[in-house]
Amino acid sequence: MIDLRSDTLTRPTEAMREAMARAEVGDDVYGEDPTVLALQERVAGMFGHEAALFTPTGSMANVLAVASVVSPGEEVLCDSSAHIARAELGAHGAISGITMRTWTGERGQVDLAAIESMYAPDMGPFFVRTAAVSVENTHNFAGGTVLPIDDLRDLRAWADTTGTKLHLDGARLWNAHVATGTPLADYGRIADVLAVCLSKGLGAPIGSLMIGSADAIDLARVRRKRMGGGMRQVGVLAAAGAYALDHHVDRLADDHVHARLLGEALGLDPATVDTNIVVVDRPDAASFVAAAADEGVRIATVGPRAVRLVTHLDVTPADADRAAVVLSRLAAR
Ligand SMILES: *Cc1c(COP(=O)(O)O)cnc(C)c1O
């Protein structure tokens, strides 16, 4: 089976497991796990922020990050297919008491005109106040699309004029960085608060980080514990993340080559495949996925007509070639 359902499916390599086995650890709730502390400091520095916090999941990093800039009863604006809106199971409402309004961006892009028209300043007892805008880069359900840094800078400039905060869901920001060459710190600079994942294309088994100011991270550390996310000798996981940052960032370019090949096999213009995700519109989505599985290629639906496939560390060039042959044959049927 060639498994293209998600880039979360990767298993830690032997070398990563060795790094995990060797990790120095301590109780991280006491702030005494040296491997976690080093990873947090390293990742904060990569994005030009003061501090970072290791979390078990990207969803938790997003919940903590958004709650650091939006208070209960306030709203965050985001794209209608954003992960925070679609795939975190209502956490921002259920846990943080936050509401959302959405714009629908072409290929998941920032629509500054829509944001400006939706923006609600504090008007006392009349309208929900817009506290923050959230953007996702790369954009998962839009098909791994990159949000260009110039658009993000324009959004930052607008946010500064209104006092609006910016949250960046950077679960796959590493892919955007590798695809465009934009420095991670440039992405960091446009956001007040970010979330990044080590468990997607980077191939760590578990782990994400929230990144922001020292004050925001102090508050998030308390909230993380309240949510049951205070972990103890978690340096074994942080070591996997550090190993991934050392060895698995540049190779994301290979995943992008494979995704372009698969996009082309499905009839897309390969130039529209920005990174490691391909989303294709198929009226027969469910039966197409079933037919692919019968031929040894696992892909997934992400909507009634949307088929998604994701390339990753465990997909070899030969796997990509074979999957392309199967998918192009099925697509032509
Ligand atoms: C995967 C993902 C997350 C976090 O997901 P977890 O499964 O909770 O780690 C957040 N945002 C995006 C865009 C994602 O793809």
Side-chain angles (χ1 to χ4, degrees):
M1 272 286 179
I2 300 170
D3 205 336
L4 302 169
R5 288 172 302 163
S6 174
D7 49 5
T8 57
L9 295 163
T10 55
R11 274 165 286 226
T13 62
E14 272 314 308
M16 182 181 279
R17 287 170 189 262
E18 278 166 29
M20 296 169 75
R22 278 197 309 270
E24 254 188 81
V25 297
D27 189 327
D28 185 53
V29 175
Y30 285 78
E32 292 174 4
D33 188 304
T35 308
V36 173
L37 294 174
L39 179 70
Q40 291 174 164
E41 194 179 328
R42 175 180 180 186
V43 171
M46 291 171 102
F47 291 94
H49 279 264
E50 285 176 346
L53 186 71
F54 191 72
T55 60
T57 65
S59 295
M60 190 185 284
N62 274 338
V63 168
L64 294 171
V66 172
S68 76
V69 289
V70 187
S71 298
E74 296 182 333
E75 71 179 2
V76 58
L77 307 181
C78 63
D79 174 73
S80 60
S81 59
H83 195 276
I84 66 164
R86 278 199 71 199
E88 292 171 12
L89 309 188
H92 301 267
I95 298 169
S96 308
I98 288 168
T99 59
M100 288 179 184
R101 279 187 300 150
T102 59
W103 74 85
T104 300
E106 180 74 24
R107 304 182 79 234
Q109 297 295 309
V110 174
D111 185 340
L112 191 49
I115 293 167
E116 281 172 336
S117 72
M118 283 195 287
Y119 170 71
D122 189 352
M123 293 187 54
F126 293 99
F127 294 109
V128 176
R129 174 179 171 259
T130 306
V133 173
S134 175
V135 292
E136 184 175 311
N137 196 15
T138 64
H139 196 301
N140 180 346
F141 297 124
T145 48
V146 170
L147 309 189
I149 189 70
D150 287 342
D151 291 359
L152 298 174
R153 288 188 178 125
D154 290 348
L155 177 63
R156 176 77 260 173
W158 170 82
D160 287 340
T161 64
T162 56
T164 307
K165 303 287 192 194
L166 291 188
H167 164 254
L168 173 53
D169 178 353
R172 296 185 184 81
L173 199 50
W174 322 101
N175 296 80
H177 160 65
V178 168
T180 62
T182 302
L184 293 171
D186 287 15
Y187 289 125
R189 202 165 293 127
I190 66 97
D192 295 281
V193 63
L194 300 84
V196 296
C197 292
L198 305 166
S199 56
K200 300 281 170 77
L202 293 190
I206 297 172
S208 293
L209 295 108
M210 169 189 162
I211 303 159
S213 69
D215 285 348
I217 295 298
D218 283 347
L219 192 57
R221 187 175 294 108
V222 173
R223 290 178 171 154
R224 182 186 66 175
K225 181 69 159 57
R226 184 175 294 137
M227 289 166 70
M231 300 181 286
R232 304 295 177 171
Q233 286 72 23
V234 69
V236 286
L237 297 177
Y243 180 90
L245 291 177
D246 289 337
H247 299 281
H248 293 169
V249 175
D250 293 342
R251 64 150 306 283
L252 292 172
D254 301 342
D255 297 343
H256 301 172
V257 170
H258 296 157
R260 232 170 280 134
L261 179 75
L262 295 168
E264 200 169 10
L266 289 167
L268 296 181
D269 174 357
T272 63
V273 178
D274 290 349
T275 58
N276 71 325
I277 302 180
V278 178
V279 172
V280 62
D281 178 65
R282 293 214 48 115
D284 60 343
S287 61
F288 187 79
V289 166
D294 285 343
E295 307 236 13
V297 179
R298 297 184 90 175
I299 55 179
T301 58
V302 290
R305 294 173 54 109
V307 171
R308 187 187 74 169
L309 55 87
V310 189
T311 56
H312 52 75
L313 190 58
D314 292 353
V315 178
T316 65
D319 290 341
D321 286 341
R322 189 158 78 79
V325 169
V326 168
L327 294 174
S328 67
R329 183 157 30 81
L330 292 177
R333 253 196 348 214

